Each structure stands twice: as C-alpha cells, then as structure tokens.
C-alpha cells in the first residue's frame, strides 16, 4: 500500500516550498490537489490581480473560502482535457459569470516500474511531471487512493469532501489543515500507512492505533522528544480517556475520548464507536448527533465531531 502514497508525498514535498505564498492560511504540506496541470484545455494566459484564463479566453475569477488564489494553469471542462494521470475537478473558484473554474489535477497514482506493480484496473504509465505511476484505467473508484486528496470514495464515486480551513482549529477532531498553492482544506490524520514515511505532512509515526492489525498515521504525545513514540490505544488505561485523540494544533496526541476504536467497549461512557468514514475505520464519538456517516452530508462537508467536542454533525470548516 505504501507505493500508493508516493504520489501524495511528492506533492507534499513540493508544496512545502511553494505554499507559503499561495494564499493559504496555515499550510502544512500539499493536500494532493496541486499536481501537474493537463496539456489539454488550456485557456488564455493568466492575468494579474485575480484573473485567469479558462476555456480559451481570459475571464475574471472570484475566490472563495476553498479557492483562496485563482488558478493560472491546467484549465479543463472534462477529464478528456487533462493529460494522462490527471483528473478534472472544480477548483472552488468561479468565473465572473458564476460558472465553476475547473483544473486538471494529478490523481495521485503510486510509483511503479511495470503494470505488475499496480493493482487491478491500473496500468503503469508515464505521467507528465511525475514519472511512472499506476494510472486507473477503469471508471469510478474502488479505494480511497483512487480519489484526489480531499475527495472520498463513496459508493464507487469520488465525492468532494474538501472542508475549507485557514488553520487547524477550523477542522474537526483528529484532522489537520493542509494547503496547496491555491487552497487549503482539512485532512484526516489517521489514514492508511505502512511506514512513517507514508505520513509526511500528517503525523510523525505509522502505528496500529486501534489494534486491528492495520496501521494508520499516528500522533505523538511529546513531539519535543528526540524520537517520540506514537500514542496507541493500548497505552490508554484510564476508562474515562481510553483512546488516542488529536486535539491540539498539528498532530500532538494524548489519551482522550475521541479516537479510533473497534467497538463500543473501546469508548468512554456515553460514547459510541461509529464508522463515520467510508474506509471502514470507526471512531469514538458522543452518542447521538445529526449524522452517522459522510453520506448524510452535502459535498464539501464531512460527518465528524466538532473541534471543541460534541456529537457528530456535518462540518463545513472555515466560513467567514
């Protein structure tokens, strides 16, 4: 599974150089949406002062909480306008006429040498600017890795779950605010991984937090230690704080009440173990709430506990 992360990690490294001046509030690496633009569908040259080419002509661009800086390249209308390995998504910015401005974005396929290195339905192909990548050749999605970061695979389709943010406190529990050159949005910290390297930009460690045999990106109790250890649920022996919870800025973690779980017995009194995310992982949240999964929420929202705690609800992130 680690090879699937290499595309995302390359973008994280690239954005650590350029995001600071890209209009995002508190970028901590690339969110996977700032990939190479396609070679088709390019419009007029980008203008100054918030204008950008789209569809062959130069138009005024209106920013939003999701699109903080107008894109200047890689414009598209459909996936056919993009180069191999890229997909066409809405940037979050609109034209003066009110239509969504779309961009070609690197889809994040894993590095490969031959097609044998790739999962079924994917071929090893040369992606412009990215090298050889596993490119999905069938429609829809089978796993979370088939979708651009910020989008989630739900019922075979990639759904836009980019929750806008300026800083970590804008995000739900156990999320961090990642930035691209044009936007920033909340990303869940406890994602699939095999090695610490897979978690660059999210957390320092890759550990099996909930004891189910699968590893996820894990925060540490004291990041100031020379080699800090990850927080895992087995270390949390207090019944009132039985799971690892990321509560502060970044991925600093301590035993708390909100975190990964296998069933209700892993959670504190008054909390239930719910599968809010479509990746199969469950987390402890207070019983009740207005949503029980992402499918209950509109696009660009997620079903999660608020940053300050409480029952799960559809979280919209930063809204001025």
């Amino acid at each position: 599974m680690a090879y699937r992360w290499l595309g995302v990690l390359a973008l994280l490294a690239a954005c650590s150089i350029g995001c600071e001046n890209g209009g995002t509030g508190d970028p901590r690496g690339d969110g996977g949406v700032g990939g190479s633009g396609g070679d088709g569908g390019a419009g007029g040259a980008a203008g100054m002062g918030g204008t950008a080419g789209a569809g062959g002509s130069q138009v005024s661009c209106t920013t939003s909480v999701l699109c903080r800086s107008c894109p200047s390249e890689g414009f598209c209308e459909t996936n056919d306008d993009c180069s191999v390995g890229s997909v066409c998504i809405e940037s979050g910015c609109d034209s003066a006429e009110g239509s969504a401005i779309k961009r070609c974005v690197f889809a994040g396929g894993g590095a490969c040498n031959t097609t044998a290195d790739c999962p079924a339905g994917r071929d090893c192909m040369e992606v412009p600017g990215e090298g050889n990548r596993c490119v999905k050749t069938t429609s829809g999605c089978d796993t979370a890795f088939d979708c651009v970061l910020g989008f989630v695979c739900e019922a075979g389709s990639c759904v836009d779950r980019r929750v806008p943010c300026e800083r970590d406190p804008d995000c739900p529990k156990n999320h961090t605010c990642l930035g691209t050159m044009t936007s920033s949005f909340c990303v869940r910290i406890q994602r699939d991984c095999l090695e610490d390297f897979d978690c660059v930009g999210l957390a320092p460690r890759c550990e099996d937090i909930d004891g189910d045999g699968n590893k996820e990106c894990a925060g540490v109790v004291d990041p100031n230690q020379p080699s800090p250890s990850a927080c895992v649920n087995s270390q949390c022996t207090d019944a009132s704080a039985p799971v690892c919870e990321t509560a502060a800025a970044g991925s600093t973690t301590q035993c708390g009440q909100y975190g990964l779980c296998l069933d209700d017995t892993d959670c504190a009194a008054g909390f239930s173990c719910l599968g809010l995310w479509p990746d199969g992982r469950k987390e402890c949240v207070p019983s009740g709430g207005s949503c029980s999964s992402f499918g209950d929420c509109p696009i660009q929202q997620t079903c999660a506990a608020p940053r300050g705690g409480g029952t799960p609800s559809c979280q919209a992130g930063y809204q001025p």
Side-chain angles (χ1 to χ4, degrees), residues 15 18 32 45 102 172 186 199 209 213 226 237 278 284 290 312:
C15 191
K102 299 180 180 181
C186 302
C199 300
I209 298 174
T237 56
C284 294
S290 58

Side-chain angles (χ1 to χ4, degrees), residues 238-256:
D238 186 341
S240 66
V243 292
C244 292
E245 174 183 336
T246 303
S251 57
T252 301
T253 304
Q254 64 275 324
C255 293

Side-chain angles (χ1 to χ4, degrees), residues 6 47 61 86 90 151 238:
L6 294 179
C61 170
S86 294
E90 292 185 3
F151 287 65
D238 186 341

